[in-house]
Amino acid sequence: MTIFHKIINREIPADIVYEDDLCLAFRDINAQAPTHVLIIPKVQIDSLDGLNSDHKHLMGHLLLKVPEIAKSLGLTDGYRITVNCGEDGGQSVDHLHIHLLGGRKMNWPPG
Ligand code: 5GP
C-alpha cells in the first residue's frame, strides 16, 4: 500500500481535479510547476515495469484523459507529461502515476 492508495480511499485528503471509475487526478503536494497534477490508476500497479497486456485499455484511458484534464485546468499553451520509473527514473511512490506539468515553459533536457 502506498500514500496514493490512501488518497484513492479518501483516508488522507488531496486536491482532486478529476475522477472516474478507472482513475484519479489530484494536485501534487510538492508542485514543480504552476500546475502539477498526478493522474493515477485506481488499481495498484507499481510502475511502468508492472504493466502487462491486460492494462492496454486502462493505460489508453489514462493517456486519453491527459488532454481533457489539461484543458480543464486551462493549460492552453501546452504542457508536459512525465512518468518516472524505478530508482534511476526518480520514482518515489510505488504506484504508477503520470505527472502533468504546465503553466510555465518547460526545459529540455530534463534533469
Ligand atoms: P515520483 O517521484 O514517484 O515520480 O512522484 C511522486 C510524487 O508524489 C511527487 O511529486 C510527490 O510530491 C507526490 N506526493 C507524495 N506524497 C504525496 C501526498 O501525500 N499527496 C500528494 N498530493 N502528492 C504527494
Side-chain angles (χ1 to χ4, degrees):
M1 288 302 162
T2 70
I3 197 96
F4 291 175
H5 190 81
K6 292 185 176 168
I7 289 174
I8 293 167
N9 288 341
R10 307 299 204 272
E11 290 166 30
I12 62 166
D15 186 354
I16 293 169
V17 299
Y18 177 81
E19 179 172 25
D20 63 27
D21 53 335
L22 295 178
C23 70
L24 187 70
F26 52 93
R27 293 188 193 275
D28 196 297
I29 206 166
N30 184 22
Q32 301 300 315
T35 298
H36 185 173
V37 161
L38 302 171
I39 305 167
I40 70 171
K42 287 189 170 174
V43 294
Q44 168 65 34
I45 302 168
D46 287 359
S47 75
L48 285 176
D49 283 341
L51 291 174
N52 62 53
S53 56
D54 291 343
H55 297 127
K56 274 183 189 172
H57 173 74
L58 173 64
M59 293 310 294
H61 181 79
L62 256 60
L63 208 50
L64 283 169
K65 286 296 155 190
V66 168
E68 186 181 313
I69 294 169
K71 191 175 177 190
S72 78
L73 297 172
L75 299 178
T76 51
D77 293 330
Y79 50 84
R80 179 174 293 170
I81 62 170
T82 302
V83 182
N84 297 326
C85 182
E87 196 178 340
D88 278 3
Q91 183 176 2
S92 62
V93 177
D94 291 336
H95 184 120
L96 179 64
H97 47 283
I98 299 173
H99 293 261
L100 168 60
L101 298 140
R104 67 168 169 83
K105 204 161 181 66
M106 297 296 150
N107 302 312
W108 194 264

